[in-house]
Amino acid sequence: MTYQFLKMAHVAAAVAWLVGSLFVSLFLLTSQPQDGDDAPKERKMLHALRRWTLFVTTPAMVVTWLIGLHLAMTFGWFAMGWIWIKVACALGLSALLGMQSASLRRMAGGSARRPPMVDLYAPFTVLAAAAIVTLVVVKPF
Protein backbone atom coordinates (compact mmCIF):
# COMPACT_ATOMS: atom_id res chain seq x y z
CA MET A 1 0.00 0.00 0.00
CA THR A 2 2.82 2.41 0.82
CA TYR A 3 4.47 1.79 -2.56
CA GLN A 4 1.25 2.63 -4.41
CA PHE A 5 0.75 5.79 -2.36
CA LEU A 6 4.32 6.95 -2.99
CA LYS A 7 4.07 6.15 -6.69
CA MET A 8 0.76 8.05 -6.93
CA ALA A 9 2.21 11.06 -5.08
CA HIS A 10 5.31 10.98 -7.32
CA VAL A 11 3.23 10.93 -10.50
CA ALA A 12 0.82 13.64 -9.24
CA ALA A 13 3.72 15.91 -8.27
CA ALA A 14 5.42 15.28 -11.61
CA VAL A 15 2.23 16.19 -13.48
CA ALA A 16 1.90 19.43 -11.49
CA TRP A 17 5.57 20.24 -12.19
CA LEU A 18 5.31 19.54 -15.93
CA VAL A 19 2.02 21.38 -16.40
CA GLY A 20 3.38 24.39 -14.52
CA SER A 21 6.55 24.35 -16.59
CA LEU A 22 4.57 24.10 -19.84
CA PHE A 23 2.36 27.00 -18.81
CA VAL A 24 5.41 29.16 -18.03
CA SER A 25 6.92 28.13 -21.38
CA LEU A 26 3.83 29.23 -23.26
CA PHE A 27 3.57 32.48 -21.29
CA LEU A 28 7.21 33.36 -21.99
CA LEU A 29 6.78 32.46 -25.65
CA THR A 30 3.73 34.67 -26.17
CA SER A 31 4.41 37.60 -23.85
CA GLN A 32 5.56 40.89 -25.25
CA PRO A 33 6.61 44.04 -23.42
CA GLN A 34 3.43 46.09 -23.22
CA ASP A 35 3.03 49.83 -22.86
CA GLY A 36 -0.58 50.10 -23.97
CA ASP A 37 -3.93 49.01 -22.59
CA ASP A 38 -2.83 45.37 -22.19
CA ALA A 39 0.14 46.20 -19.92
CA PRO A 40 -1.78 45.92 -16.60
CA LYS A 41 -3.33 42.58 -17.65
CA GLU A 42 0.02 41.12 -18.65
CA ARG A 43 1.67 42.41 -15.46
CA LYS A 44 -1.10 40.88 -13.36
CA MET A 45 -0.73 37.57 -15.19
CA LEU A 46 3.06 37.70 -14.73
CA HIS A 47 2.78 38.19 -10.97
CA ALA A 48 0.17 35.43 -10.65
CA LEU A 49 2.37 33.06 -12.65
CA ARG A 50 5.41 33.90 -10.52
CA ARG A 51 3.43 33.10 -7.36
CA TRP A 52 2.13 29.86 -8.88
CA THR A 53 5.66 28.85 -9.87
CA LEU A 54 7.00 29.67 -6.41
CA PHE A 55 4.27 27.98 -4.40
CA VAL A 56 3.10 25.12 -6.65
CA THR A 57 5.43 24.24 -9.53
CA THR A 58 8.74 24.43 -7.66
CA PRO A 59 7.48 22.51 -4.59
CA ALA A 60 6.01 19.90 -6.95
CA MET A 61 9.46 19.51 -8.51
CA VAL A 62 11.05 19.07 -5.09
CA VAL A 63 8.43 16.49 -4.02
CA THR A 64 8.92 14.63 -7.30
CA TRP A 65 12.67 14.47 -6.73
CA LEU A 66 12.41 13.42 -3.08
CA ILE A 67 9.91 10.64 -3.66
CA GLY A 68 11.63 9.49 -6.85
CA LEU A 69 15.02 9.26 -5.17
CA HIS A 70 13.46 7.42 -2.21
CA LEU A 71 11.79 4.88 -4.51
CA ALA A 72 14.94 4.42 -6.60
CA MET A 73 17.09 3.79 -3.52
CA THR A 74 14.52 1.54 -1.85
CA PHE A 75 14.05 -0.72 -4.86
CA GLY A 76 17.64 -0.68 -6.15
CA TRP A 77 16.83 0.98 -9.45
CA PHE A 78 20.18 2.78 -9.56
CA ALA A 79 21.69 -0.52 -10.69
CA MET A 80 19.60 -0.32 -13.87
CA GLY A 81 20.52 1.73 -16.92
CA TRP A 82 17.13 3.29 -17.62
CA ILE A 83 17.07 5.21 -14.32
CA TRP A 84 20.17 7.21 -15.27
CA ILE A 85 18.56 8.47 -18.47
CA LYS A 86 15.44 9.32 -16.46
CA VAL A 87 17.57 11.23 -13.94
CA ALA A 88 19.30 13.12 -16.78
CA CYS A 89 15.91 14.12 -18.24
CA ALA A 90 14.67 15.20 -14.80
CA LEU A 91 17.85 17.25 -14.27
CA GLY A 92 17.23 18.95 -17.61
CA LEU A 93 13.64 19.72 -16.63
CA SER A 94 14.83 21.07 -13.26
CA ALA A 95 17.35 23.34 -14.97
CA LEU A 96 14.65 24.52 -17.36
CA LEU A 97 12.36 25.47 -14.46
CA GLY A 98 15.24 27.44 -12.95
CA MET A 99 15.74 29.29 -16.25
CA GLN A 100 12.01 29.95 -16.50
CA SER A 101 11.84 31.28 -12.94
CA ALA A 102 14.77 33.60 -13.64
CA SER A 103 13.06 34.85 -16.81
CA LEU A 104 9.83 35.55 -14.90
CA ARG A 105 11.81 37.40 -12.22
CA ARG A 106 13.60 39.52 -14.85
CA MET A 107 10.32 40.30 -16.60
CA ALA A 108 8.74 41.35 -13.31
CA GLY A 109 11.73 43.66 -12.82
CA GLY A 110 10.96 45.35 -16.12
CA SER A 111 13.31 43.56 -18.51
CA ALA A 112 12.09 43.46 -22.08
CA ARG A 113 14.79 40.97 -23.09
CA ARG A 114 13.52 37.77 -24.67
CA PRO A 115 14.65 34.65 -22.76
CA PRO A 116 17.28 32.59 -24.60
CA MET A 117 15.96 29.63 -26.60
CA VAL A 118 12.39 30.27 -25.39
CA ASP A 119 11.07 28.56 -28.52
CA LEU A 120 12.53 25.26 -27.32
CA TYR A 121 11.17 25.28 -23.74
CA ALA A 122 7.80 23.64 -24.44
CA PRO A 123 9.07 21.04 -26.93
CA PHE A 124 11.89 20.06 -24.57
CA THR A 125 9.39 19.64 -21.72
CA VAL A 126 7.13 17.41 -23.80
CA LEU A 127 9.98 15.30 -25.21
CA ALA A 128 11.67 14.86 -21.84
CA ALA A 129 8.36 13.87 -20.23
CA ALA A 130 7.67 11.38 -23.04
CA ALA A 131 11.15 9.90 -22.62
CA ILE A 132 10.65 9.57 -18.86
CA VAL A 133 7.27 7.87 -19.21
CA THR A 134 8.66 5.49 -21.85
CA LEU A 135 11.64 4.58 -19.68
CA VAL A 136 9.48 3.96 -16.60
CA VAL A 137 6.90 1.86 -18.40
CA VAL A 138 9.18 -0.14 -20.69
CA LYS A 139 12.38 -0.25 -18.56
CA PRO A 140 14.35 -1.16 -21.70
CA PHE A 141 17.68 -1.86 -19.97
Side-chain angles (χ1 to χ4, degrees), residues 52-137:
W52 182 265
T53 301
L54 181 64
F55 294 113
V56 177
T57 306
T58 302
M61 178 189 69
V62 171
V63 167
T64 302
W65 270 106
L66 291 174
I67 295 173
L69 289 172
H70 171 73
L71 289 171
M73 287 187 291
T74 301
F75 294 101
W77 294 336
F78 285 119
M80 301 176 191
W82 64 269
I83 194 72
W84 295 105
I85 298 171
K86 180 182 177 184
V87 166
C89 290
L91 281 172
L93 289 168
S94 299
L96 177 62
L97 183 60
M99 292 172 23
Q100 291 171 326
S101 296
S103 295
L104 290 174
R105 189 173 50 253
R106 281 192 297 273
M107 286 177 71
S111 173
R113 198 175 122 236
R114 183 177 165 95
M117 299 184 299
V118 70
D119 298 331
L120 301 177
Y121 289 3
F124 174 76
T125 302
V126 171
L127 291 174
I132 288 170
V133 168
T134 301
L135 289 166
V136 169
V137 171

Side-chain angles (χ1 to χ4, degrees), residues 16-68:
W17 171 17
L18 293 171
V19 168
S21 186
L22 277 173
F23 193 74
V24 173
S25 296
L26 296 175
F27 177 81
L28 292 172
L29 186 62
T30 60
S31 66
Q32 298 290 329
Q34 300 286 330
D35 291 328
D37 294 337
D38 290 336
K41 284 188 232 172
E42 179 140 342
R43 214 170 296 118
K44 187 175 182 180
M45 180 66 172
L46 172 64
H47 290 296
L49 188 54
R50 281 192 73 211
R51 281 191 308 275
W52 182 265
T53 301
L54 181 64
F55 294 113
V56 177
T57 306
T58 302
M61 178 189 69
V62 171
V63 167
T64 302
W65 270 106
L66 291 174
I67 295 173

